[in-house]
Amino acid sequence: MASSSVIAKQSTYNVVTTDLSSSIEKIQDYKSLDLEPFEKSPVWSDEYLSQLNIQRRPFDFQIELIQSVINSGNSIVSLRTGAGKTYIAALLIKYYYMKKRKEKDEQFLTFFFVPHRSIRDQQVTAIRDVGDLRVMACDDNSTANEFVQYSHIVVCTPQKFLNCLIDKSILLNQIDLLIFDECHNCIGNHPYSKIMEQYLVYHQLEHQPKIIGLTASCGTKLTNPKLVLEELSDVEKRRNNALNKLYELCATLNCHNVVTVKKEEHIEELNKKIHRPIDDQILAIQSMSFDQYIKKLEEVIKSLLSYIGSKCSPSIDVSIDEQQLGQEKNNAEIKNNFTNVILIKYMIMFVKRLDALTDLPLKSIINDIIKKIDLFYNKKETPIEIETEIHHYCLQIVNSIVDRLKESEYYLTNPKLDFLTKKLQELIKQRDNARGLILVSRTLYAKLMFDYFNEREDIKNIIKPCWLVGQNGVDYQNSLSEQDEALKNFRKGLSNVLIATDIVQEGLDVPECSFVIRYEFVSNEIGTVQSRGRARAEKSSFFLVVDEGSKNHIKEMTTRLKELEMLEALNSWQQISPDQLKLNLQKVQDGIINQWRVEAELKQIIESNLADSQTIDGKVSCRSCDHYLGQLSWIRKRNNSYFIRQQQLTERIEIDCFSEERIFKEIQVKGKVLCGNRKCREDIGAAQKFTDRPDILEICALTCKKLKFSFKDLHGNYHISMFQKWADVRFKIHELEPPMSTNTLPVRQQNTILLDFC
């Protein structure tokens, strides 16, 4: 393996908390180590474990899986949640590390990928448990290549690694082992797939890292309800489809086998040692007595939707769903129909609350509606006339329904929430230090349910909630520090109920978690397996609370049949001979690689025909209102950031400063950036400053999906394009010029707008 000196882009990294001059290793003589028992013996003696400095004895079923991987080469480890996949991976890392030290005594490097940053530190702690390995986490403000020289194992999100792989600041021939946690995500455009595209297409070397995938479920990812039902009704089709998806996953990961626990005595040990929920139920709730109260608010919301839709030009049908409204908004943005853009935002907000009527307290929904209406309206200094009319009318109508609903016994709650509250009290009182998860589909649910439990005085000393959602939620968000704080409080027991979106469905490890309740939340069969596995404590419980006969109720029944499909696929896999598996996998992989190459060639053709932004007559504007921000020719990029230089920054945007500035590595964040149009004031980014570029003064980071690009053709006509991310733009962007020397800097600096890569 090449040494770290081959890194194309060398970074300077100062390790503060780790003394690199002192050895963390207790094994002194690797040359004399006997690794044959590790590879072949079903029992590892205490003396042998001591020689290898392994403090915690692995279970026999874990040893079986470790040896299966060693014998098979690149493999996927399929094992139920909570059974120690990370510990198995850590022992395998240590094995390959010891083997290399024994044979060559050269530098060793593993990258361990986690799909979510929220479980990064948890995995670091688990891997360090095997001893002798320097394990470091690539934090939010660092790049993955900064840790290469100082680590045996780098734990990071896949995008961090992919960025370095693409810009060649990390080379695959530096790496011994790649581990993909929750590897079932390796499909489509996920960063896992993009890493493997680099591995199989662009980095075909004599030395390639070994690969290990970890998963509790090799799902088939069918989402079309018609296809799911069609497949489930045909046993042969179901079996073949599941097996084909397993081939696709293995071929994409370049894995030769899926290893599972096979020996009967080890299966018995697994079932005995690793707790599974003893109570696994779908709790279907009948809310008939509540319907009369829902209908009052439902009728009001539908009347408001009809009223707002009639004010749009052209008018919008009240019966369309949230996805269709999103498309209508997109069309309005392209056509510069600012009125419709504003009104459709109100309609989307109302549709979301309409869907939540049977799940959340009426008071909470009404208060949230009022809050959102005011938020939309008050952030504008001079709202357009129709928005003023809509704002006043909606508030008047919503407030009028409040007085009527206050008389209802269900104004502060509803039957489903009453049932959930009683169930929570029952579960918490069953054991000391009980803790559990409530998984929900939307950030709206997480926040309003948190408020609901907090406001109930009668359960204040029983249910101690916290909530956790991503930082990019539409309705509500948690910052990274807020996410960390919520997880820390939950793990310590300061909170005993964590209400969260699916940000914690994969990978969160809290051994004390004694119950998981999905509240009107059904994703797919993988989600069901993953969420069930979060209930780790002995005699734990796993529930789905859902309206009887609802879409989610039916979907869960289908999902549980899909679980059976996954097991059938694994059983079928074990019956196929190794030679036949190899042939089948090669055929599937050839097809995947060919598809990647075709897509890459098409992308290259498109890029080669992209017009130079320096020669395009075009402009950049706010997507919502078409407020002018600058010319396309002004755009520059630096790493993953994009800039527009201009002298009249304050005339085109408004900055809403934070009370305290925030520092993220070389970026200093001052506040939010709002559209300069007083009738719009859309939140379009963050005011920032590069601390390592004093020649650039105040900058503003804007999000690509908040922008609109207009191009003028040869006939003088403008064409509008909108992109979700900068990688998709259809014009070439030039790199930011290097800083000028101090004696050539102009007296007066230009201000700059920075547009981030997403």
Side-chain angles (χ1 to χ4, degrees):
M1 184 181 70
S3 69
S4 59
S5 61
V6 301
I7 300 177
K9 295 183 180 179
Q10 191 69 46
S11 296
T12 301
Y13 178 70
N14 296 319
V15 178
V16 178
T17 58
T18 304
D19 181 4
L20 298 178
S21 63
S22 64
S23 175
I24 62 170
E25 301 181 33
K26 292 187 177 181
I27 300 175
Q28 300 300 319
D29 184 7
Y30 286 92
K31 297 292 184 183
S32 63
L33 282 180
D34 181 9
L35 295 179
E36 187 172 347
F38 205 109
E39 299 162 348
K40 298 179 180 179
S41 175
V43 179
W44 297 352
S45 68
D46 291 341
E47 181 183 359
Y48 186 63
L49 291 172
S50 179
Q51 290 175 8
L52 302 184
N53 189 29
I54 296 174
Q55 304 298 319
R56 178 158 65 95
R57 171 177 292 280
F59 293 121
D60 291 343
F61 71 82
Q62 293 173 331
I63 293 175
E64 178 190 341
L65 291 172
I66 288 167
Q67 292 172 346
S68 294
V69 172
I70 292 172
N71 292 329
S72 299
N74 292 1
S75 302
I76 293 174
V77 177
S78 180
L79 183 65
R80 77 173 63 150
T81 300
K85 290 187 294 296
T86 303
Y87 189 56
I88 289 170
L91 288 170
L92 281 164
I93 295 170
K94 184 162 186 174
Y95 164 77
Y96 288 117
Y97 170 72
M98 293 186 297
K99 185 178 181 183
K100 187 167 188 179
R101 291 291 305 271
K102 179 181 175 70
E103 295 173 354
K104 299 180 181 179
D105 197 20
E106 293 180 352
Q107 182 184 352
F108 178 88
L109 180 62
T110 290
F111 274 89
F112 188 107
F113 304 127
V114 292
H116 308 293
R117 62 167 296 281
S118 58
I119 62 173
R120 180 186 57 215
D121 294 340
Q122 166 191 299
Q123 300 298 61
V124 168
T125 301
I127 297 168
R128 282 178 178 160
D129 194 31
V130 299
D132 297 289
L133 297 169
R134 182 172 288 113
V135 188
M136 301 189 77
C138 179
D139 59 86
D140 300 320
N141 302 319
S142 300
T143 56
N145 61 305
E146 296 176 15
F147 300 87
V148 168
Q149 294 186 66
Y150 310 102
S151 312
H152 299 132
I153 306 169
V154 181
V155 181
C156 67
T157 55
Q159 191 63 53
K160 290 269 189 182
F161 179 81
L162 181 60
N163 293 341
C164 292
L165 200 59
I166 291 173
D167 69 17
K168 295 183 172 57
S169 58
I170 288 178
L171 304 177
L172 282 179
N173 64 3
Q174 297 171 257
I175 304 167
D176 295 274
L177 182 61
L178 298 175
I179 296 185
F180 295 77
D181 195 14
E182 310 294 354
C183 70
H184 50 264
N185 288 300
C186 192
I187 58 169
N189 290 318
H190 192 278
Y192 279 179
S193 296
K194 294 300 182 182
I195 289 171
M196 290 311 303
E197 181 179 355
Q198 292 289 320
Y199 181 104
L200 291 169
V201 179
Y202 304 108
H203 295 267
Q204 295 177 330
L205 310 168
E206 290 185 8
H207 170 85
Q208 284 188 318
K210 294 180 177 64
I211 291 176
I212 298 172
L214 308 175
T215 184
S217 51
C218 303
T220 60
K221 291 289 185 179
L222 268 183
T223 55
N224 185 308
K226 288 185 178 180
L227 291 178
V228 171
L229 291 174
E230 179 185 336
E231 180 186 296
L232 290 173
S233 63
D234 187 328
V235 175
E236 191 64 28
K237 187 172 184 178
R238 182 178 75 235
R239 185 179 294 112
N240 289 337
N241 181 72
L243 194 58
N244 289 338
K245 289 296 181 180
L246 201 51
Y247 274 123
E248 183 180 347
L249 180 62
C250 286
T252 305
L253 280 166
N254 201 39
C255 286
H256 316 310
N257 199 8
V258 180
V259 300
T260 59
V261 180
K262 297 179 182 178
K263 296 181 180 180
E264 289 296 330
E265 63 271 25
H266 293 168
I267 294 174
E268 184 178 342
E269 178 193 41
L270 172 63
N271 291 330
K272 182 179 179 181
K273 299 291 185 181
I274 307 303
H275 305 303
R276 304 187 76 178
I278 60 172
D279 197 1
D280 183 351
Q281 297 183 57
I282 300 174
L283 303 176
I285 310 301
Q286 291 184 333
S287 302
M288 295 302 294
S289 62
F290 185 48
D291 284 350
Q292 57 181 312
Y293 303 107
I294 292 178
K295 286 178 180 177
K296 290 181 181 179
L297 185 54
E298 184 180 40
E299 289 169 0
V300 168
I301 292 178
K302 285 185 175 179
S303 70
L304 289 174
L305 282 168
S306 180
Y307 175 75
I308 298 171
S310 69
K311 296 295 182 180
C312 293
S313 180
S315 61
I316 295 178
D317 187 352
V318 69
S319 64
I320 66 175
D321 59 24
E322 183 182 342
Q323 184 176 357
Q324 292 169 316
L325 282 171
Q327 186 57 51
E328 289 285 351
K329 178 173 171 287
N330 188 70
N331 294 337
E333 289 166 344
I334 292 175
K335 297 176 181 178
N336 296 332
N337 188 340
F338 184 45
T339 297
N340 274 22
V341 171
I342 290 177
L343 298 187
I344 292 171
K345 287 180 182 178
Y346 281 83
M347 294 184 74
I348 291 174
M349 183 273 293
F350 275 118
V351 166
K352 287 182 179 179
R353 276 70 187 169
L354 187 64
D355 293 340
L357 285 179
T358 60
D359 305 328
L360 299 172
L362 297 184
K363 177 186 175 183
S364 297
I365 294 175
I366 291 171
N367 288 344
D368 186 69
I369 287 174
I370 293 172
K371 177 182 175 181
K372 287 294 181 182
I373 291 173
D374 279 337
L375 181 65
F376 287 165
Y377 183 75
N378 292 333
K379 71 177 182 180
K380 292 136 184 169
E381 296 171 32
T382 56
I384 61 175
E385 183 177 345
I386 186 62
E387 184 171 13
T388 299
E389 178 185 332
I390 292 294
H391 171 263
H392 295 344
Y393 181 76
C394 288
L395 283 183
Q396 177 187 345
I397 297 300
V398 172
N399 282 319
S400 69
I401 193 69
V402 172
D403 293 333
R404 281 184 280 167
L405 291 179
K406 277 183 179 178
E407 302 301 320
S408 164
E409 61 178 308
Y410 292 121
Y411 178 62
L412 300 177
T413 183
N414 67 33
K416 197 187 301 181
L417 272 177
D418 284 342
F419 176 85
L420 176 64
T421 303
K422 290 177 182 177
K423 177 60 70 174
L424 286 174
Q425 293 181 83
E426 173 190 320
L427 292 167
I428 290 170
K429 290 177 180 178
Q430 280 179 358
R431 65 177 74 203
D432 294 333
N433 198 26
R435 266 169 279 176
L437 299 176
I438 299 177
L439 297 175
V440 295
S441 59
R442 294 181 182 270
T443 60
L444 171 71
Y445 280 50
K447 179 60 168 64
L448 296 192
M449 288 177 69
F450 169 77
D451 292 339
Y452 168 77
F453 289 125
N454 255 350
E455 292 169 4
R456 283 194 54 168
E457 292 292 332
D458 58 321
I459 58 173
K460 197 168 187 178
N461 295 322
I462 302 172
I463 300 175
K464 302 172 185 177
C466 59
W467 66 296
L468 178 65
V469 300
Q471 59 179 333
N472 297 316
V474 176
D475 292 298
Y476 294 95
Q477 308 84 31
N478 281 154
S479 66
L480 297 181
S481 60
E482 288 170 336
Q483 292 176 25
D484 292 339
E485 184 71 15
L487 284 173
K488 182 174 71 174
N489 289 340
F490 184 62
R491 286 194 170 104
K492 287 183 175 180
L494 300 177
S495 303
N496 59 11
V497 175
L498 175 62
I499 309 165
T501 53
D502 60 358
I503 189 173
V504 300
Q505 189 164 269
E506 286 186 336
L508 177 67
D509 185 14
V510 181
E512 300 83 2
C513 185
S514 55
F515 61 87
V516 172
I517 300 175
R518 290 177 296 152
Y519 188 74
E520 283 291 353
F521 175 46
V522 180
S523 53
N524 54 33
E525 69 279 6
I526 291 177
T528 296
V529 172
Q530 295 287 346
S531 55
R532 184 188 291 117
R534 304 279 74 82
R536 294 282 306 281
E538 187 177 2
K539 297 181 180 179
S540 59
S541 303
F542 178 64
F543 301 117
L544 169 67
V545 176
V546 67
D547 278 329
E548 187 172 15
S550 65
K551 289 182 180 179
N552 276 337
H553 190 188
I554 296 170
K555 185 178 180 181
E556 177 67 7
M557 301 300 292
T558 303
T559 292
R560 294 193 177 224
L561 288 174
K562 298 284 285 179
E563 276 192 80
L564 176 62
E565 179 184 284
M566 290 190 290
L567 294 175
E568 289 176 345
L570 285 172
N571 290 333
S572 298
W573 182 276
Q574 306 301 334
Q575 308 305 315
I576 303 172
S577 69
D579 289 342
Q580 188 62 49
L581 278 176
K582 185 177 180 180
L583 288 172
N584 294 347
L585 283 169
Q586 188 61 58
K587 182 178 179 181
V588 174
Q589 189 178 84
D590 288 344
I592 292 170
I593 292 174
N594 183 61
Q595 181 180 348
W596 280 338
R597 284 177 171 154
V598 169
E599 291 172 354
E601 288 174 4
L602 179 60
K603 182 179 179 181
Q604 190 173 21
I605 291 171
I606 292 173
E607 289 178 349
S608 65
N609 288 288
L610 291 179
D612 192 325
S613 61
Q614 296 295 93
T615 62
I616 298 176
D617 186 359
K619 64 179 182 178
V620 183
S621 57
C622 169
R623 183 174 295 195
S624 291
C625 68
D626 201 37
H627 176 68
Y628 174 75
L629 295 172
Q631 293 294 311
L632 289 181
S633 59
W634 298 348
I635 298 177
R636 294 291 184 274
K637 67 178 178 179
R638 184 193 187 204
N639 298 327
N640 291 324
S641 298
Y642 294 75
F643 303 79
I644 296 179
R645 291 178 175 269
Q646 53 90 24
Q647 294 179 329
Q648 296 176 315
L649 179 65
T650 55
E651 294 183 8
R652 297 188 178 126
I653 61 170
E654 187 75 15
I655 297 177
D656 182 12
C657 294
F658 296 143
S659 57
E660 292 184 9
E661 294 184 352
R662 305 165 188 175
I663 304 295
F664 301 95
K665 208 174 180 183
E666 76 280 357
I667 296 176
Q668 183 177 356
V669 184
K670 179 180 178 182
K672 292 182 179 180
V673 173
L674 307 177
C675 171
N677 181 359
R678 295 185 176 189
K679 297 179 180 180
C680 177
R681 288 296 192 242
E682 182 72 20
D683 184 349
I684 55 177
Q688 299 180 349
K689 183 177 182 179
F690 282 132
T691 57
D692 63 340
R693 285 296 299 266
D695 57 311
I696 301 176
L697 297 182
E698 190 174 84
I699 60 178
C700 299
L702 307 179
T703 306
C704 185
K705 64 183 179 182
K706 296 285 188 176
L707 304 176
K708 184 189 302 182
F709 304 92
S710 304
F711 310 86
K712 186 181 289 187
D713 63 21
L714 296 176
H715 303 289
N717 300 316
Y718 271 104
H719 300 275
I720 296 173
S721 295
M722 299 185 297
F723 310 101
Q724 286 296 105
K725 52 188 178 181
W726 286 103
D728 298 333
V729 298
R730 294 292 182 259
F731 50 87
K732 295 177 182 177
I733 300 173
H734 291 260
E735 293 282 348
L736 175 68
E737 297 82 357
M740 292 182 285
S741 60
T742 54
N743 59 351
T744 60
L745 282 174
V747 176
R748 186 173 181 176
Q749 299 280 1
Q750 286 186 324
N751 286 326
T752 305
I753 296 179
L754 164 67
L755 296 89
D756 70 15
F757 72 99
C758 61

